[in-house]
Amino acid sequence: MSNLTEAYIALGSNQGEREAMLKDAIAELHAHPSIQVSRLSSVYETDPVGYTDQPAFLNMVIHIKTSLSSLELLETALSIEQKLGRVRHERWGPRIIDIDLLLFGEEQMKLPNLIIPHPEMVHRAFVLIPLQEVWQGVIPGTDLTIEEAIHHCIETQGVQVWGTLDWGAESERSAN
């Protein structure tokens, strides 16, 4: 793959076999000829946000390198969600798998179907805490380092380390 862009993707699941769903999503992303999964954060068990009357989530962030555009990566993520059985019923509701594009190189964009960086990430400890394991820096479009953004999040209590994920390509996983 040439002209690779580094991107960061949040994964989450709170229905069915949550760990298996994360593994399947990573495997599907990695199987794409234009995507290379490089690093995985730890997996965190997190309290639901927004609609709270639902099971806890497993969340993590992965670092990838891709030759896809941000819109092509979004389409790929949506098709993987659909393949894995995601049905969109209600905003912030239970989901078998959620794949969100957080950062795409230094890109900043605001389209009807894609905003980069992800517009809610600075308010979500369940995204920022695992992201911090695989990325350091100032969040594009803000003056906040990831550490400062985590400090400003009020719901950090609901984010607990759950473990690590062995997804079957350990030889390609970088150390954190």
Side-chain angles (χ1 to χ4, degrees), residues 11 19-31 35-41 60 62-64 164-174:
L11 304 174
E19 179 183 6
M21 294 292 12
L22 296 177
K23 287 180 183 181
D24 289 350
I26 294 167
E28 289 289 334
L29 286 161
H30 192 69
I35 298 173
Q36 181 181 79
V37 175
S38 334
R39 288 189 306 251
L40 311 178
S41 74
M60 67 184 302
I62 63 171
H63 168 250
I64 67 164
T164 57
L165 205 61
D166 175 9
W167 63 284
E170 284 300 303
S171 62
E172 298 186 38
R173 180 178 166 189
S174 300

Side-chain angles (χ1 to χ4, degrees), residues 131-174:
L131 178 61
Q132 183 182 31
E133 289 186 28
V134 294
W135 180 80
Q136 294 292 308
V138 175
I139 299 168
T142 76
D143 293 329
L144 295 174
T145 65
I146 192 156
E147 293 84 7
E148 291 167 336
I150 290 169
H151 180 74
H152 286 88
C153 277
I154 56 172
E155 89 272 1
T156 56
Q157 304 85 357
V159 180
Q160 303 296 322
V161 174
W162 182 84
T164 57
L165 205 61
D166 175 9
W167 63 284
E170 284 300 303
S171 62
E172 298 186 38
R173 180 178 166 189
S174 300

Side-chain angles (χ1 to χ4, degrees), residues 20-99:
M21 294 292 12
L22 296 177
K23 287 180 183 181
D24 289 350
I26 294 167
E28 289 289 334
L29 286 161
H30 192 69
H32 192 286
S34 299
I35 298 173
Q36 181 181 79
V37 175
S38 334
R39 288 189 306 251
L40 311 178
S41 74
S42 300
V43 178
Y44 291 81
E45 189 163 52
T46 65
D47 295 338
V49 174
Y51 174 62
T52 58
D53 187 19
Q54 60 180 317
F57 280 83
L58 288 185
N59 290 101
M60 67 184 302
V61 171
I62 63 171
H63 168 250
I64 67 164
K65 296 177 183 175
T66 184
S67 57
L68 298 174
S69 71
S70 54
L71 286 170
E72 290 168 330
L73 183 56
L74 173 66
E75 289 303 315
T76 299
L78 292 173
S79 76
I80 291 170
E81 284 183 347
Q82 187 174 18
K83 180 179 181 179
L84 296 179
R86 171 133 187 218
V87 178
R88 294 175 184 270
H89 290 296
E90 60 188 294
R91 186 174 188 188
W92 296 325
R95 58 204 66 177
I96 196 158
I97 191 68
D98 190 27
I99 304 173

